[in-house]
Amino acid sequence: MNRADATAESAKGTGPLSGILVVDLTHVLNGPFGTMMLADLGARVIKVEPPGGGDDTRTYGPFLNDASLYFASVNRGKESVVLNLKDDGDRTIFLNMVRRADVVAENFRPGVMARLGFSYAELSKVNPRLIYASSSGFGQTGPLANFPAYDTIVQAMSGIMSMTGFPDGPPTRVGTSLSDLLGGLNLFAGITTALYAREKTGRGTHVDISMFDATLAFLEQGTMEYAATGHALGRIGNRHPFLAPFDLYECADGHVAICCGNDHLFAALCSAIGRAEMASDARFQANESRVKHVAALKVELEAALKLQPAAYWLKIIHEAGVPIGPLLDVAQALAQPQVAARAMLVEAGGIKMTGMPIKLAGYADAAARPPAPALDQHGARLREEFSR
Amino acid sequence: MNRADATAESAKGTGPLSGILVVDLTHVLNGPFGTMMLADLGARVIKVEPPGGGDDTRTYGPFLNDASLYFASVNRGKESVVLNLKDDGDRTIFLNMVRRADVVAENFRPGVMARLGFSYAELSKVNPRLIYASSSGFGQTGPLANFPAYDTIVQAMSGIMSMTGFPDGPPTRVGTSLSDLLGGLNLFAGITTALYAREKTGRGTHVDISMFDATLAFLEQGTMEYAATGHALGRIGNRHPFLAPFDLYECADGHVAICCGNDHLFAALCSAIGRAEMASDARFQANESRVKHVAALKVELEAALKLQPAAYWLKIIHEAGVPIGPLLDVAQALAQPQVAARAMLVEAGGIKMTGMPIKLAGYADAAARPPAPALDQHGARLREEFSR
């Protein structure tokens, strides 16, 4: 056992999910993100990769010292074995894994697992305690079950792009693969729910997660507007629909976010920026009226804010008790001391990546994590272990 | 017991979390979204609200028949009792609840629970099996623990706004309260993890979730670019950084999302739109070169696509085997038959809202859900039940 393996093994002994065995057929982003959360919390995750190069993302940039950061960032702490699921010998090894597994996870297009002979009905016969966890673009059921799903397509079809951006601008993609990642996070949560339920029932279940469902569940004001009026909510940029000032504002050298939930905070803000008289301006006295005159309000506030840099206003306005924060790029965001204090930038195999947001007292939340595996790195040992 | 209560009670008996008792001190959006997921899966969730009107969101619009859709959408299936946590009698009732609870959930600013005498250390003495679940803007620890946190501020400070939008446009807020909702979803997942772990250890734990951590964990390409170069990823609009065509495209009457992951799909797309010659254009032959000439590629593709409406291209290009989907507003998105087929638009108390994205075989996933409670609706019964 090499040093990385030893580190991985020692982490497994202590997490809230230690003792859980996951056979992980997921690939690309959505499924692997969810199973990485299982590994982070102590589950043993065996990544089963196809012959011919393994998970496609091993070839995706950006690269650091020949390692795909894409692959590394969602596969830390897993073991890797290459199995050809159409080969009889490899199928036997896979089924031996299934027999002893707590979880099988997959994110193929619906129907692929059944064609391999590995449907939920079939695998739950092999192991009735098995939690069979599927993640897909639109789910295992319904008229769109087989519709091609990429994050951009799911974002477009869920309505989230239509709500993101400015009234005079185009619909806007969330700048990260939101639907993929939400699918993965729900997959993780569905598995932990099923693990708990199994303790009561003794039986496994089929967890059926869809990127589309997961995104719909996040539409918030969009769904509320539809429920109230039957109509779609348009794009309103960065501001809050019902509160003002509650937006990004431009200073001399960048933006700040200011959030005034009530008239008292607004008055404090006006004093802090040297514009106390604004608080008694008829247009701005009450929140309802400020929302009506939100464009004029922004012009007035920015006229003052643009006279000084963001750092100046962050201090002055914060000290006045008004909620304010800086607009940061990712490099600035990750350099904040809060990130290190919460182990939210970890290192795995020499690569920096974001950490585990679920913090549980009594369990380690290490800033050093076991690396993502090389292709078939644990193949020989795993083939031996699951030869019977 | 009225009819709504009866419906709520019957749902409790059958979910994967049935038998779990949650004392829910959360308010506004982030915590309530997480505890609603517990209720959706069969937990009994008692919402403890403060005197003087209860959860602030009861007064938030939009309204339907005097009901706040905001409140209704994240509190379905819960019971409500008003308790004054500074009053001795009410504190006794609360502590009786804690003694019998599996979970206490709260999303106050860090320090508030301790000032009430209800820190994790104190409540875990009352009930060592208690899972004490906290959600906050920046977490219970670190230099920003007490920093004021609203969704817009957390989005700004996490870097997600800097990555969303167009290169020539401003940083853009995700058009939903992403950081609030991600905090809530992680709170749910942390609680289910802790419930499973408790089955093994017999002990509860403190779940410490932060909206900021939860958002950082979703930065994806942003973190990869930082790990590779130390620099921040800029805004690139709706396109994919490494694949083309992979973007929103304008048709005669609206947008479609087209995702070509390889040269073969690109050639199929060119034929489908009557521009077969584009596939042999030197600028467009290979993906790497298409990414370099991505602006020119978009101009050429849209010149063809703008000749017909989106519905025409959705049929033609889909039939050519190229991944394509429509850009929909929220009303269109929620009207898709897939939404009803997966019970992702449910009705609770006469109000439409999005459903539960975690689907587990063997457990009901009803399209009719118990409503959110009126303020103190279950107060008399709960005060009696927990009087000792």
Side-chain angles (χ1 to χ4, degrees):
Chain A
M1 192 181 284
N2 65 26
R3 188 157 162 274
D5 278 355
T7 312
E9 291 299 324
S10 80
K12 299 304 171 220
T14 56
L17 300 181
S18 67
I20 293 297
L21 176 62
V22 181
V23 180
D24 184 8
L25 299 172
T26 68
H27 58 289
V28 190
L29 176 57
N30 146 334
F33 182 78
T35 57
M36 180 177 73
M37 294 183 77
L38 298 172
D40 275 352
L41 294 178
R44 181 184 178 195
V45 179
I46 299 174
K47 187 175 177 83
V48 175
E49 300 189 70
D55 191 327
D56 280 347
T57 59
R58 289 184 177 277
T59 66
Y60 287 14
F63 293 93
L64 187 68
N65 306 328
D66 291 336
S68 160
L69 297 186
Y70 198 113
F71 181 83
S73 300
V74 290
N75 290 289
R76 65 179 176 234
K78 302 178 185 175
E79 302 170 37
S80 168
V81 58
V82 171
L83 293 181
N84 178 354
L85 295 179
K86 292 174 179 167
D87 170 272
D88 283 345
D90 281 5
R91 289 172 67 90
T92 301
I93 292 170
F94 174 73
L95 287 169
N96 286 339
M97 288 179 175
V98 168
R99 209 162 278 124
R100 291 188 243 161
D102 298 284
V103 178
V104 167
E106 62 91 13
N107 66 335
F108 294 112
R109 206 188 273 204
V112 170
M113 287 292 278
R115 285 195 291 280
L116 286 167
F118 298 146
S119 67
Y120 171 58
E122 288 159 312
L123 295 193
S124 69
K125 267 180 222 152
V126 172
N127 176 0
R129 286 177 55 82
L130 184 68
I131 292 160
Y132 185 107
S134 299
S135 186
S136 60
F138 293 91
Q140 304 297 310
T141 57
L144 291 181
N146 288 296
F147 202 81
Y150 289 86
D151 179 80
T152 301
I153 290 178
V154 178
Q155 285 202 32
M157 292 176 69
S158 68
I160 187 80
M161 288 182 74
S162 77
M163 291 167 61
T164 300
F166 294 83
D168 55 351
T172 306
R173 180 178 178 272
V174 178
T176 187
S177 297
L178 180 68
S179 297
D180 263 315
L181 296 166
L182 280 179
L185 179 51
N186 276 282
L187 186 71
F188 167 79
I191 290 169
T192 54
T193 301
L195 283 169
Y196 169 75
R198 191 180 67 171
E199 293 294 316
K200 301 298 170 187
T201 65
R203 293 188 310 275
T205 182
H206 187 184
V207 181
D208 169 11
I209 302 296
S210 117
M211 291 160 55
F212 180 66
D213 293 350
T215 311
L216 293 178
F218 267 44
L219 292 181
E220 198 210 3
Q221 310 270 358
T223 313
M224 293 175 209
E225 183 69 20
Y226 177 72
T229 69
H231 297 124
L233 192 72
R235 291 182 286 286
I236 60 167
N238 297 333
R239 70 177 177 86
H240 194 285
F242 316 125
L243 297 172
F246 211 104
D247 201 344
L248 276 198
Y249 298 92
E250 217 176 324
C251 306
D253 63 344
H255 293 82
V256 292
I258 299 175
C259 299
C260 287
N262 61 48
D263 300 342
H264 168 76
L265 286 171
F266 177 63
L269 172 67
C270 294
S271 296
I273 64 173
R275 294 290 307 276
E277 82 285 0
M278 276 181 68
S280 47
D281 185 319
R283 296 171 300 168
F284 304 144
Q285 274 182 310
N287 177 67
E288 200 177 357
S289 173
R290 287 195 296 277
V291 171
K292 255 182 217 144
H293 299 97
V294 69
L297 175 68
K298 189 164 190 172
V299 168
E300 296 285 340
L301 288 173
E302 290 190 336
L305 294 169
K306 282 178 186 168
L307 301 175
Q308 297 287 346
Y312 174 86
W313 292 121
L314 286 165
K315 185 169 185 302
I316 297 284
I317 295 174
H318 180 78
E319 284 172 1
V322 176
I324 183 173
L327 183 279
L328 302 179
D329 67 30
V330 174
Q332 294 168 326
L334 293 175
Q336 292 171 99
Q338 183 72 10
V339 177
R342 304 267 302 170
M344 281 309 295
L345 194 65
V346 304
E347 195 167 307
I351 296 169
K352 288 190 178 115
M353 56 188 78
T354 42
M356 180 23 139
I358 295 177
K359 317 289 189 191
L360 301 175
Y363 297 100
D365 180 33
R369 298 274 180 173
L375 184 62
D376 204 39
Q377 181 180 333
H378 310 88
R381 171 162 62 74
L382 289 168
R383 285 168 174 281
E384 166 60 23
E385 180 177 355
F386 294 101
S387 61
R388 67 207 151 263
Chain B
M1 191 180 283
N2 65 26
R3 190 159 160 272
D5 278 356
T7 313
E9 290 300 323
S10 80
K12 299 305 172 220
T14 57
L17 299 181
S18 67
I20 293 295
L21 176 62
V22 181
V23 181
D24 184 7
L25 298 172
T26 67
H27 57 289
V28 189
L29 177 57
N30 144 337
F33 182 78
T35 56
M36 180 178 71
M37 294 182 77
L38 298 171
D40 274 351
L41 294 177
R44 180 184 178 194
V45 179
I46 299 173
K47 186 173 179 84
V48 175
E49 300 188 70
D55 191 326
D56 280 348
T57 59
R58 289 183 177 277
T59 66
Y60 287 14
F63 293 93
L64 186 68
N65 306 328
D66 289 336
S68 160
L69 297 186
Y70 198 115
F71 180 83
S73 299
V74 290
N75 290 290
R76 66 179 175 233
K78 302 179 186 175
E79 303 170 37
S80 168
V81 59
V82 171
L83 293 181
N84 178 354
L85 296 180
K86 292 175 179 165
D87 171 273
D88 283 343
D90 283 4
R91 289 173 66 90
T92 300
I93 291 170
F94 174 72
L95 287 169
N96 287 339
M97 288 179 176
V98 168
R99 208 163 279 123
R100 291 187 242 164
D102 299 283
V103 178
V104 167
E106 62 91 12
N107 67 335
F108 294 112
R109 204 187 275 205
V112 169
M113 286 292 279
R115 284 196 291 280
L116 287 166
F118 299 144
S119 68
Y120 172 58
E122 288 160 311
L123 295 192
S124 69
K125 266 180 222 150
V126 172
N127 176 1
R129 286 177 55 82
L130 184 69
I131 292 160
Y132 185 107
S134 299
S135 186
S136 60
F138 293 92
Q140 303 298 309
T141 59
L144 292 182
N146 288 295
F147 202 82
Y150 289 86
D151 180 79
T152 301
I153 290 178
V154 177
Q155 285 202 31
M157 292 177 71
S158 68
I160 187 79
M161 286 182 75
S162 76
M163 293 167 60
T164 300
F166 295 84
D168 54 354
T172 306
R173 181 177 178 273
V174 178
T176 186
S177 296
L178 180 69
S179 297
D180 263 314
L181 296 167
L182 280 178
L185 180 50
N186 275 281
L187 186 71
F188 167 78
I191 289 169
T192 54
T193 301
L195 283 170
Y196 169 75
R198 190 180 68 171
E199 294 294 315
K200 303 298 171 188
T201 65
R203 292 189 311 275
T205 181
H206 186 183
V207 181
D208 169 10
I209 302 296
S210 115
M211 290 161 54
F212 180 66
D213 294 350
T215 311
L216 294 177
F218 266 44
L219 293 180
E220 199 210 1
Q221 310 270 358
T223 313
M224 294 175 206
E225 182 70 20
Y226 177 72
T229 68
H231 297 124
L233 192 71
R235 291 183 286 286
I236 60 168
N238 296 334
R239 71 177 178 87
H240 194 284
F242 315 126
L243 297 171
F246 211 106
D247 201 344
L248 275 198
Y249 298 92
E250 217 176 322
C251 305
D253 63 345
H255 292 83
V256 293
I258 299 176
C259 298
C260 287
N262 60 49
D263 299 344
H264 168 76
L265 287 171
F266 177 63
L269 173 66
C270 293
S271 296
I273 64 173
R275 294 291 307 275
E277 81 286 358
M278 277 180 67
S280 48
D281 184 318
R283 296 171 300 170
F284 304 143
Q285 274 182 310
N287 178 67
E288 200 177 356
S289 173
R290 287 193 297 275
V291 171
K292 256 182 217 145
H293 300 98
V294 69
L297 175 68
K298 190 165 189 170
V299 169
E300 296 285 340
L301 289 173
E302 290 189 337
L305 294 169
K306 282 177 187 169
L307 301 176
Q308 297 287 347
Y312 174 86
W313 292 122
L314 285 164
K315 185 169 185 301
I316 296 286
I317 295 173
H318 180 77
E319 284 172 2
V322 177
I324 184 172
L327 183 280
L328 302 179
D329 67 30
V330 174
Q332 294 168 327
L334 293 175
Q336 292 172 98
Q338 184 71 10
V339 177
R342 305 267 302 169
M344 282 309 296
L345 194 65
V346 303
E347 193 166 309
I351 296 170
K352 288 191 178 114
M353 54 187 78
T354 43
M356 179 22 139
I358 295 178
K359 317 288 188 191
L360 302 175
Y363 296 100
D365 180 33
R369 299 273 181 174
L375 183 63
D376 204 39
Q377 181 180 335
H378 310 87
R381 173 163 60 76
L382 290 168
R383 286 170 173 278
E384 165 62 23
E385 180 177 355
F386 294 100
S387 60
R388 62 204 156 266

